[in-house]
Amino acid sequence: MEGFEIYDPRFKALLQPGSRLTRLATGATWSEGPVYFHEDDSLIWSDIPGNRLLRYSQKEGLSEYLKPAHFQNGHYRDLQGRLIACSHGERAVVRLEPGGTWTTLADSYRGQRLNSPNDVVVKSDGTIWFSDPPYGLIQPNEGYGGSQEQAGCYVYRLEPETGKLDAVITDMDKPNGLAFSPDERILYVSDTAGSHDPKGNHHIRAYDVLEGRTTANGRTFVVIEPGLPDGFRVDVHGYVFTSSQDSVQVYDPAGVRLGKILVPEKIGNLTFGGPHKNRLYIAATTSIYALELNTQGVQRP
Ligand code: MG
C-alpha cells in the first residue's frame, strides 16, 4: 500500500482498505500538542513559534483558538474533560476552566521554577504526569527565555487536588513525550537530547509504574531513526505510535517495529480522536494530517 512501510502483518491489520493520509489544515510554523474534543469533533493544537493555539473541525474548518498562548506545547484532557496544557512561557502546567480562565497547577519544584513543561498525560486516577526539558528556555522562538533553575530535566507526577508534585524520573537527559501502556503498568518517555547534541539520545525509555505512583527499572525501549521521537501515543493493543523525522513508526510492546506511516513533513506529536477514537491526528511542522485506522487510542475521555 502506498504511503506505508509494512514490516509485520500486525501493522497491515491496523490499516483500513482505503487508509490514506489526508492533510486537514496547514499554515502553522511548528505544530505540537494535538488534543481531541469529541463534543464537537474538533482538534486543538499548538503552533509554538506562532505563540497560538489552532483549532480544526470538520464543520468549521481552521481557526485561531487562542493568541497569545504563552507558547503552549503539549496538551491532554483531565477526567472532567478540562484542557491541561504545558506552558513554555509560564514555565507551568495550566488548566482551562469551564468559565474560560486558566489555573496554574504547578510552576515550581522545591522552591525553584520549572524549566518549560513540554508534554503531559493524565492517568486514570486523575494525576497529571509531565516532562520538563528546557526547550522553552533555550529556543528563543518557543518561549520568553530565562535561565534553568532545576538541576536536571525530570518527569513529574502532580496531584492536582493538593498540588503535591514529585519527580518520578530523574535519570533522563531531555525527557519529552510520554504515554502509559493500556494497563498503566508501564510509562514510556522519549528522550530528545539529540536535538541539540549530535551524540544525544533519540530513544524511548520504558519504566515500570509501582503502586500507580512511582517508577523503577528504566530501560531503553526503542531507538528511533531517522530523527527523534518527540510526542507519541499508545493504542488498545499496547502498540506505540511515535513521531520521527519521516513517519509515524509503530512498535509492539516488545519493541518490534511493525511499520511506518509515511508523512511528508517532520512530526512533532500525534493523538487519537474521532467519534470512534480510531482517527490518528498527526501534528507535523506546518500541518495537521489524519488517517483512519482499525484500532483505537487509549487516552481519555
Ligand atoms: Mg514534545
Side-chain angles (χ1 to χ4, degrees), residues 10-69:
R10 289 175 290 169
F11 181 75
K12 202 165 180 191
L14 299 175
L15 304 176
Q16 298 181 356
S19 278
R20 214 176 121 248
L21 192 72
T22 308
R23 189 167 78 173
L24 297 180
T26 191
T29 303
W30 175 244
S31 296
E32 250 285 4
V35 58
Y36 181 72
F37 289 78
H38 56 86
E39 293 88 340
D40 57 3
D41 192 18
S42 70
L43 187 84
I44 288 172
W45 77 98
S46 307
D47 174 13
I48 306 177
N51 195 12
R52 59 183 181 163
L53 302 187
L54 297 172
R55 176 181 181 271
Y56 175 82
S57 85
Q58 209 80 30
K59 244 193 229 159
E60 295 154 330
L62 175 66
S63 60
E64 211 167 66
Y65 180 76
L66 181 70
K67 186 175 179 169

Side-chain angles (χ1 to χ4, degrees), residues 32 73-74 118-119 131 176-177 230-231 268-269:
E32 250 285 4
N73 189 338
N118 187 292
D119 212 345
S131 61
N176 197 320
D230 194 334
N269 213 328

Side-chain angles (χ1 to χ4, degrees), residues 249-290:
Q249 303 188 19
V250 182
Y251 291 83
D252 77 1
V256 175
R257 192 167 68 176
L258 305 181
K260 281 183 172 186
I261 301 162
L262 300 174
V263 178
E265 299 183 76
K266 184 174 154 189
I267 302 155
N269 213 328
L270 50 107
T271 194
F272 285 93
H276 308 291
K277 295 186 175 185
N278 71 328
R279 189 185 299 150
L280 188 65
Y281 287 100
I282 302 164
T285 311
T286 66
S287 306
I288 292 290
Y289 297 84

Side-chain angles (χ1 to χ4, degrees), residues 62-118:
L62 175 66
S63 60
E64 211 167 66
Y65 180 76
L66 181 70
K67 186 175 179 169
H70 294 308
F71 300 95
Q72 283 184 14
N73 189 338
H75 293 104
Y76 214 83
R77 297 180 71 193
D78 71 7
L79 303 187
Q80 289 77 43
R82 294 172 293 194
L83 182 64
I84 305 292
C86 290
S87 174
H88 279 186
E90 295 163 294
R91 302 173 68 164
V93 173
V94 297
R95 180 177 69 206
L96 180 58
E97 308 298 346
T101 59
W102 292 89
T103 301
T104 299
L105 301 178
D107 61 3
S108 65
Y109 176 66
R110 292 186 171 165
Q112 316 243 261
R113 298 184 75 184
L114 295 175
N115 301 327
S116 55
N118 187 292

